[in-house]
Amino acid sequence: MNVTAIDQLPVVVVGAGPAGLAAAAHLVDRGLEPLVLEAGTQAGAAVREWSHVRLFSAWGEVVDPIAEKLLAPTGWVKPDADTYPTGGDWAVAYLQPLADVLGDRVRLDARVTGISRTGRDRVVDADREQQPFTVHIRYGDGREERVLARAVIDASGTWATPSPAGADGLPALGERAVADRISYRVPDLKDPAVRARYAGRRTAVIGSGASAFTALASLAALAKSRDGADTRATWILRRAISGNTFGGGSADQLPARGSLGLAAKAAVDEGYADAVTGFRTDAIERDGEHLVLVAEDGRRLDPVDEVIVLTGFRPDLTFLDELRLGLDDRLQAPVELAPLIDPNQHSCGTVYPHGVKELAHPEEGVYLVGMKSYGRAPSFLALTGYEQVRSVVAAIAGDRESAERVELVLPETGVCGGAGLFDQPADTPTDDGGCCASPTALQIGVGAPAVSGGC
Ligand SMILES: Cc1cc2nc3c(=O)[nH]c(=O)nc-3n(C[C@H](O)[C@H](O)[C@H](O)COP(=O)(O)OP(=O)(O)OC[C@H]3O[C@@H](n4cnc5c(N)ncnc54)[C@H](O)[C@@H]3O)c2cc1C
């Protein structure tokens, strides 16, 4: 196919989440044709699955400016920029209207099952760059289709592939056998059935990020309520508790994100959660009606009734197997982006704005954006995704100058720890190679204030 003909093809966007829909809006704004393929039956399918969780970002930080421009003629009114939506609000009041404006350019119930260069598998060099992409789709009713694309923006997120309980990144021994007692989601304790599952029970919460904080705070709130007496949590961390454990607290430039950590800290301080540190989960055993978690070093915890695993997410790369991606060994994020977000290298959670340069692959014309671009790294922000798609779409449109310009200043987390705190004991010396140089912050224990200042 000649270059002109390829240029007539749509840009396929995988996923109608916040990043994918924003990408489509940017494409339309530049006069390019998007085709958004969404596996779920509604736009924002993944966000809707955590509709009960309140974002730590206010409305002003989760609406893409070009999407807003596209919505304006419909009479869409942006919610108050200073209020905080839930996932459900985000989907209903923003993602759905945006998908509605995009109309037929968004196909629902359309799962992308493979992407390749037309007639060229991963191995073949001949005329590779001259071939359009071929995108394999399977619809909900079982039909299959192939569409050709001039470029592919994969914004399929990581929500469907949560990490397991096992500290080695694989399911713990017995994890699958007790699947009925494990959740990989923050529970919606407003749902009576879910509430009954955790009320008055002991739950092990595995993980150390914002979702674990939210789960611990929710279980503590349940414990304080009339129907929740005796609700308790065992909070399991691979690392020791340090000044960073609860996030940036009041130094976080996103105050609601900082508050999540403080709420988790309160759950521990008030006795609703016992923290177990340095625990690398190896097995989950059934003990009558209870579950017993066993660590790699042989430690066995007191029995629990339920387990909530919030150990992060990982990207599904299976449908990209025939493409030549340049991914970092550790994070499974684009190689140029990885050092900017690697928690092994800096623990600030402060991410530098980036665009097409950091998101490029050896295979030209394919980009991973949004949550998926972070691979296994934590702390992705929607704002980051919006800047990514602005830059990527500019590059696809041939506007290199705009593509390479950084137009975003991201809020800092206020977590100051230097390098290497991802999974190490508190007494391990660090070479403060991160972006924040606050030596005292490294010494703060659980009883001390959670933060010592901003980055
Ligand atoms: C509980 C929670 C709270 C968060 N809170 C905040 C916050 O306060 N502020 C903030 O900035 N960020 C927050 N984030 C992070 C991030 O902004 C969100 O996860 C956001 O939804 C990421 O957008 P996305 O478009 O990259 O991915 P997603 O929202 O996951 O969207 C991906 C879409 O792709 C679809 N899909 C997947 N596979 C396929 C396939 N093979 N074919 C077709 N479609 C497919 C999915 O169904 C989904 O609709 C939060 C994340 C979580 C999980």
Side-chain angles (χ1 to χ4, degrees):
M1 196 178 268
N2 66 40
V3 175
T4 321
I6 292 178
D7 284 352
Q8 305 304 313
L9 296 171
V11 175
V12 162
V13 178
V14 189
L21 291 172
H26 281 259
L27 287 162
V28 170
D29 191 58
R30 284 195 173 261
L32 300 175
E33 203 44 42
L35 174 61
V36 183
L37 299 169
E38 165 56 51
T41 53
Q42 285 178 296
V47 173
R48 287 175 202 264
E49 287 193 25
W50 49 271
S51 56
H52 57 288
V53 179
R54 192 164 294 284
L55 275 76
F56 48 74
S57 299
W59 269 114
E61 290 146 355
V62 295
V63 173
D64 176 79
I66 296 298
E68 191 175 348
K69 186 174 140 194
L70 192 67
L71 281 162
T74 68
W76 184 77
V77 179
K78 184 173 171 177
D80 180 353
D82 295 328
T83 59
Y84 293 84
T86 60
D89 298 334
W90 201 15
V92 170
Y94 167 63
L95 299 176
Q96 187 61 55
L98 183 52
D100 291 343
V101 174
L102 291 163
D104 291 347
R105 296 168 177 128
V106 180
R107 263 189 228 170
L108 300 173
D109 221 2
R111 176 173 295 279
V112 172
T113 55
I115 304 176
S116 188
R117 288 277 184 186
T118 307
R120 311 284 185 282
D121 67 22
R122 185 188 179 110
V123 181
V124 176
D125 286 336
D127 296 335
R128 190 173 186 84
E129 303 296 334
Q130 285 74 54
Q131 307 310 314
F133 291 97
T134 177
V135 180
H136 293 208
I137 309 167
R138 194 179 59 238
Y139 294 99
D141 61 7
R143 264 181 318 121
E144 290 190 332
E145 193 188 2
R146 315 270 185 261
V147 295
L148 298 182
R150 63 181 285 181
V152 174
I153 300 177
D154 181 359
S156 61
T158 55
W159 175 254
T161 39
S163 295
D168 56 9
L170 301 171
L173 190 64
E175 183 172 346
R176 291 191 186 94
V178 297
D180 58 321
R181 307 282 286 281
I182 300 181
S183 168
Y184 297 86
R185 311 293 189 216
V186 174
D188 178 5
L189 295 178
K190 289 204 182 77
D191 177 325
V194 179
R195 197 173 177 85
R197 178 171 174 178
Y198 297 100
R201 304 273 175 85
R202 180 168 278 277
T203 299
V205 177
I206 309 178
S208 57
S211 292
F213 296 162
T214 307
L216 289 166
S218 311
L219 290 169
L222 174 60
K224 292 177 199 170
S225 69
R226 233 171 350 112
D227 58 334
D230 298 329
T231 304
R232 289 291 177 273
T234 303
W235 182 23
I236 295 165
L237 297 107
R238 281 195 301 195
R239 58 185 173 187
I241 287 183
S242 71
N244 283 347
T245 304
F246 298 102
S250 57
D252 194 321
Q253 291 181 0
L254 293 177
R257 182 172 60 185
S259 302
L260 283 179
L262 297 180
K265 182 173 184 306
V268 175
D269 289 348
E270 292 167 11
Y272 295 110
D274 302 322
V276 178
T277 59
F279 193 93
R280 296 172 188 273
T281 307
D282 184 48
I284 306 179
E285 295 175 0
R286 242 185 235 280
D287 175 15
E289 280 303 294
H290 299 288
L291 303 174
V292 175
L293 275 73
V294 184
E296 202 188 27
D297 60 8
R299 252 190 302 167
R300 300 172 69 83
L301 297 185
D302 289 341
V304 295
D305 301 293
E306 294 286 337
V307 179
I308 300 178
V309 180
L310 298 167
T311 48
F313 297 92
R314 49 188 57 180
D316 173 11
L317 299 167
T318 52
F319 64 85
L320 303 173
D321 229 25
E322 295 308 318
L323 297 174
R324 298 173 178 180
L325 300 183
L327 296 176
D328 176 70
D329 290 344
R330 283 188 284 201
L331 298 182
Q332 298 177 296
V335 278
E336 293 269 323
L337 173 60
L340 303 182
I341 59 176
D342 188 346
N344 286 295
Q345 293 188 23
H346 71 94
S347 62
C348 300
T350 300
V351 175
Y352 305 98
H354 53 267
V356 72
K357 185 174 147 294
E358 291 79 6
L359 296 168
H361 294 281
E363 188 86 64
E364 275 179 38
V366 61
Y367 305 95
L368 272 55
V369 302
M371 190 88 169
K372 188 163 187 172
S373 70
Y374 267 40
R376 297 182 182 215
S379 308
F380 175 79
L381 288 179
L383 272 181
T384 308
Y386 298 156
E387 173 61 5
Q388 290 177 338
V389 300
R390 184 203 64 74
S391 172
V392 162
V393 170
I396 294 171
D399 184 353
R400 250 2 253 196
E401 191 274 319
S402 172
E404 279 161 23
R405 200 171 57 223
V406 169
E407 294 188 356
L408 175 72
V409 178
L410 288 163
E412 293 185 345
T413 59
V415 175
C416 305
L421 281 180
F422 186 43
D423 187 13
Q424 72 182 26
D427 54 1
T428 306
T430 62
D431 69 358
D432 207 13
C435 61
C436 324
S438 173
T440 52
L442 301 174
Q443 312 301 330
I444 295 171
V446 66
V451 292
S452 68
C455 293

